[in-house]
Amino acid sequence: MDKDHKRSDSDEIVAGSSQALAQRSAALVRRGLRDLSSSNVESFVELGKALTSSLQLDQALRVIMEKMDELLRPDTWYLLLLDESKQELYFELAIGKESQALKDVRVKLGQGIAGWVAEKGEAVIVSEVGKDSRFLPEVDGWPETETHSIVAVPIRFRELCLGVIGLVNCFGPEGFSQTDLSLLHALADFSAIALENARHVKVIHGLTITDEHTGLYNTRHLAFILDTEIHRSERYSYEFSLLCIDLASLKDLTKSLSYDHFSHLLLELGQAFKHELRLIDFAFYYGDGEFMVILPQTSKEGGRLIARRLHKFFRETSWLRGEGQNVRLPPRVGVAAFPEDGKTKADLLHAIDEAMYLLKKSSVDGVVAAKIGHLSPL
């Protein structure tokens, strides 16, 4: 996906947000914002422009935080976001004394007042939490503070709840006014647009750096990570290793396997790389049966050991066993290291190419290291 395509995708998101913004504005008028002062109306015009143009989550959150302080001036408040995979809420923002203690707290849907709001999609005003059966001190109570009252509204985009905005101990002498509730609803509505924008941009970014067949990073991202790792290693005097794993027979299988079987094989290979490597390592599908691996903070000696281990793993593994295929993919593995074999991206890639050429020239499967030659397999 090229830059123009990515720009087009982002433009579509902003255009869609403009339409959503118009719909939200109509809903806000129905909620009573037409009765707000002109200064508040102007603030929401600015808010809408800022949030719908914020395509990064951190930018959107900063705008939300600034506008919350400007419009409602709460001393203590939070923004919970939904972790869809776990169906739990987590504290993305928590403003107030001792708020740091909330960073690891998780709230299940339906649990406490905040969980109830997220599950039901309805706002809640609780003037005395001690009289509300939904209140759970471990979930809704503010750290090191006696919690008296809570106002919470859902952040909803279409029918999906993205999170909850809550204010703690915000009641004044006259309670929590309808105007303030309308402001909070409005802020939640605009926030929903911004959060959905950020989510879509994150997905688009993932597609630009990921190979769709294996789930590994693609060749374009290899160049970026190599540059990044070289810069980091130069700055902190680190070493790192670069591996190439050539499964040459993979190309021939496009003729003998069905499309579904071949697609499943690529997915199996991608999952295998993720399982066999550390969390800090990077794996890339280079194409035509070749995979590249970057091993941060790994010396050439360490890289040689991992190269031999991966060679053993791929040599001994049968693939598509669940489909009754038992495919074997004899591996050729090469290793080069920064800075020993090259101090630039071009030099490192050249070193790994020369190492792989030794294997291809000898027509054998094995392991070879740049400037050293063939290594004995495990």
Side-chain angles (χ1 to χ4, degrees):
M1 188 182 294
D2 56 27
K3 292 182 179 179
D4 291 336
H5 195 173
K6 286 187 284 185
R7 190 180 300 113
S8 174
D9 287 332
S10 297
D11 291 343
E12 287 180 11
I13 289 175
V14 175
S17 295
S18 297
Q19 182 180 2
L21 176 59
Q23 295 171 350
R24 294 291 191 212
S25 298
L28 299 182
V29 169
R30 289 196 296 272
R31 284 200 176 111
L33 287 187
R34 57 182 177 272
D35 298 326
L36 294 179
S37 67
S38 59
S39 62
N40 277 330
V41 172
E42 290 175 2
S43 290
F44 271 99
V45 171
E46 294 174 4
L47 174 63
K49 290 179 180 178
L51 283 178
T52 55
S53 63
S54 298
L55 297 181
Q56 301 298 325
L57 180 59
D58 58 341
Q59 296 173 0
L61 292 174
R62 185 166 59 250
V63 172
I64 293 168
M65 186 167 60
E66 290 172 353
K67 289 302 178 183
M68 176 69 79
D69 182 64
E70 175 187 335
L71 295 168
L72 293 170
R73 301 185 183 281
D75 292 326
T76 306
W77 67 279
Y78 59 78
L79 186 150
L80 290 160
L81 293 183
L82 178 65
D83 181 339
E84 291 186 68
S85 64
K86 297 182 178 179
Q87 288 295 287
E88 292 178 341
L89 298 162
Y90 60 93
F91 286 86
E92 181 64 40
L93 281 176
I95 307 300
K97 186 179 179 181
E98 306 296 336
S99 59
Q100 188 69 15
L102 294 170
K103 66 174 184 172
D104 296 322
V105 174
R106 288 264 172 165
V107 182
K108 295 185 181 300
L109 291 183
Q111 184 182 33
I113 292 173
W116 187 93
V117 169
E119 183 179 55
K120 302 296 183 181
E122 299 176 17
V124 164
I125 298 178
V126 181
S127 58
E128 295 183 52
V129 296
K131 297 181 178 180
D132 196 301
S133 61
R134 294 167 297 187
F135 177 72
L136 291 178
E138 63 270 26
V139 170
D140 299 306
W142 197 267
E144 306 299 324
T145 301
E146 186 175 351
T147 301
H148 300 288
S149 63
I150 292 177
V151 177
V153 298
I155 302 172
R156 293 174 59 84
F157 189 84
R158 298 190 176 97
E159 299 303 315
L160 179 66
C161 181
L162 306 180
V164 175
I165 294 178
L167 281 63
V168 179
N169 295 343
C170 58
F171 276 59
E174 300 178 357
F176 195 75
S177 70
Q178 181 59 46
T179 297
D180 285 345
L181 182 60
S182 295
L183 284 169
L184 193 56
H185 270 299
L187 185 63
D189 282 337
F190 283 117
S191 298
I193 300 173
L195 294 173
E196 190 69 1
N197 284 352
R199 186 177 73 85
H200 282 303
V201 168
K202 184 177 180 180
V203 170
I204 290 170
H205 178 66
L207 291 174
T208 66
I209 65 174
T210 304
D211 172 66
E212 60 179 322
H213 302 293
T214 62
L216 303 177
Y217 292 121
N218 59 23
T219 306
R220 183 185 298 109
H221 200 50
L222 170 64
F224 172 77
I225 294 297
L226 264 179
D227 282 333
T228 301
E229 200 58 35
I230 288 171
H231 174 75
R232 192 173 75 93
S233 297
E234 284 178 337
R235 182 175 181 181
Y236 297 106
S237 299
Y238 291 153
E239 299 173 86
F240 73 87
S241 292
L242 175 67
L243 308 184
C244 178
I245 298 91
D246 181 13
L247 306 176
S249 56
L250 184 63
K251 292 178 286 186
D252 300 329
L253 292 175
T254 56
K255 301 175 183 177
S256 58
L257 291 178
S258 69
Y259 176 82
D260 287 343
H261 280 163
F262 190 74
S263 296
H264 193 184
L265 174 58
L266 289 176
L267 184 59
E268 276 192 15
L269 289 169
Q271 292 171 340
F273 272 101
K274 292 177 182 179
H275 182 266
E276 293 298 313
L277 296 172
R278 304 168 300 178
L279 289 176
I280 65 170
D281 299 330
F282 300 89
F284 310 81
Y285 184 43
Y286 207 59
D288 290 331
E290 286 192 342
F291 297 80
M292 303 289 281
V293 172
I294 295 176
L295 305 170
Q297 294 177 238
T298 304
S299 66
K300 189 171 183 178
E301 182 179 357
R304 286 159 52 188
L305 178 60
I306 294 173
R308 294 166 69 205
R309 181 171 59 78
L310 287 176
H311 174 266
K312 182 177 186 293
F313 170 77
F314 283 102
R315 184 186 63 202
E316 296 178 352
T317 301
S318 295
W319 307 93
L320 295 180
R321 295 180 64 182
E323 285 74 20
Q325 299 292 323
N326 292 327
V327 172
R328 303 303 291 263
L329 296 170
R332 295 168 176 162
V333 184
V335 56
F338 172 93
E340 183 177 338
D341 300 315
K343 296 183 179 180
T344 68
K345 178 172 63 180
D347 288 344
L348 275 173
L349 291 174
H350 178 70
I352 202 79
D353 281 342
E354 285 196 330
M356 295 304 295
Y357 180 72
L358 287 176
L359 287 172
K360 294 174 183 178
K361 184 179 179 181
S362 60
S363 299
V364 297
D365 302 316
V367 188
V368 67
K371 299 180 182 178
I372 294 177
H374 292 273
L375 305 175
S376 60
L378 292 178

